[in-house]
Amino acid sequence: GNSVTQMEGPVTLSEEAFLTINCTYTATGYPSLFWYVQYPGEGLQLLLKATKADDKGSNKGFEATYRKETTSFHLEKGSVQVSDSAVYFCALKRGYNKLIFGAGTRLAVHP
Amino acid sequence: GAGVSQSPSNKVTEKGKDVELRCDPISGHTALYWYRQSLGQGLEFLIYFQGNSAPDKSGLPSDRFSAERTGGSVSTLTIQRTQQEDSAVYLCASRLDENTEAFFGQGTRLTVV
């Protein structure tokens, strides 16, 4: 079946550090891939997405590249800020099927 | 409204009681999802409505859980004979179509005591 695996948290970084949150997926066919973010006290919101192989999604300094050969969609940011502290969820969707989420990775950025 | 609205925002109920959680999706959105987020856990899929198609109920954890979507708009998630393990945040999301993002509500925090 389709599934998403992401690195366990929490991830704790100092401000301006480089961030990578790993995400790998298992799916039949060619899913669309997403990163959602949940800031403290807020609902989930879409951070970025990629719909086909080699696409790069980007937003707010975050990037993720759809790698079909490694079935991965790792989230990266070159210089994190305290305001990036949140829980990040990797997700996939195939066609009209449901969104499938990973377990989430909590990021804590300290000044 | 402008976003997905869920009510109530918080619900405390006694074990064994029934509860109803409501979701008002964004107007015109054809797809509607319910998820459950337990403390420290990821998002567990519960049920998915897409237009007039039969809902995907594959994520409902037991027959105590049911959901309906009336008129292709508002959805109600019902949990009968609540148990303590039902305590979680229940999230609703809607999507306009296949190629657009899903928008999430703020969730309903359910506590079963």
Side-chain angles (χ1 to χ4, degrees):
Chain A
N2 299 330
S3 65
V4 175
T5 302
Q6 59 183 108
M7 64 189 290
E8 290 188 22
V11 174
T12 304
L13 295 173
S14 297
E15 208 165 22
E16 299 184 2
F18 184 86
L19 169 71
T20 300
I21 300 178
N22 290 339
C23 171
T24 56
Y25 68 90
T26 301
T28 55
Y30 305 97
S32 296
L33 302 174
F34 307 82
W35 277 100
Y36 279 80
V37 59
Q38 187 176 35
Y39 296 105
E42 299 185 17
L44 267 80
Q45 54 187 278
L46 180 67
L47 180 60
L48 52 85
K49 68 178 183 181
T51 57
K52 61 183 186 296
D54 300 325
D55 268 3
K56 177 186 286 188
S58 61
N59 186 25
K60 299 181 181 179
F62 291 88
E63 292 184 340
T65 301
Y66 189 140
R67 300 286 188 198
K68 185 172 179 294
E69 63 276 14
T70 55
T71 61
S72 65
F73 193 54
H74 303 322
L75 182 68
E76 296 181 336
K77 186 173 185 180
S79 176
V80 293
Q81 305 300 312
V82 172
S83 57
D84 293 326
S85 298
V87 181
Y88 293 81
F89 293 90
C90 186
L92 71 80
K93 184 174 72 66
R94 280 204 59 239
Y96 282 94
N97 297 319
K98 56 185 177 282
L99 270 169
I100 297 172
F101 287 87
T105 302
R106 182 175 298 278
L107 170 66
V109 180
H110 299 289
Chain B
V4 178
S5 177
Q6 292 187 245
S7 60
S9 55
N10 281 284
K11 176 73 175 179
V12 180
T13 189
E14 292 181 354
K15 178 181 173 181
K17 300 284 190 183
D18 298 351
V19 295
E20 285 190 352
L21 312 180
R22 178 186 169 103
C23 173
D24 282 90
I26 295 173
S27 179
H29 280 199
T30 61
L32 187 148
Y33 304 84
W34 283 98
Y35 289 86
R36 178 168 70 174
Q37 186 176 25
S38 302
L39 185 63
Q41 303 296 313
L43 274 77
E44 176 187 4
F45 166 76
L46 297 177
I47 188 169
Y48 166 45
F49 296 89
Q50 173 60 57
N52 295 321
S53 302
D56 178 352
K57 303 180 181 179
S58 61
L60 296 178
S62 76
D63 59 8
R64 296 187 295 106
F65 288 72
S66 62
E68 62 178 22
R69 188 178 185 191
T70 54
S73 180
V74 172
S75 178
T76 302
L77 177 69
T78 302
I79 309 173
Q80 296 178 311
R81 305 180 303 281
T82 52
Q83 303 295 313
Q84 287 187 328
E85 61 262 29
D86 298 335
S87 297
V89 176
Y90 288 81
L91 295 170
C92 177
S94 70
R95 196 176 73 234
L96 177 62
D97 60 34
E98 203 38 42
N99 298 311
T100 56
E101 70 177 278
F103 292 86
F104 282 80
Q106 297 280 0
T108 294
R109 182 175 298 278
L110 175 66
T111 304
V112 182
V113 298

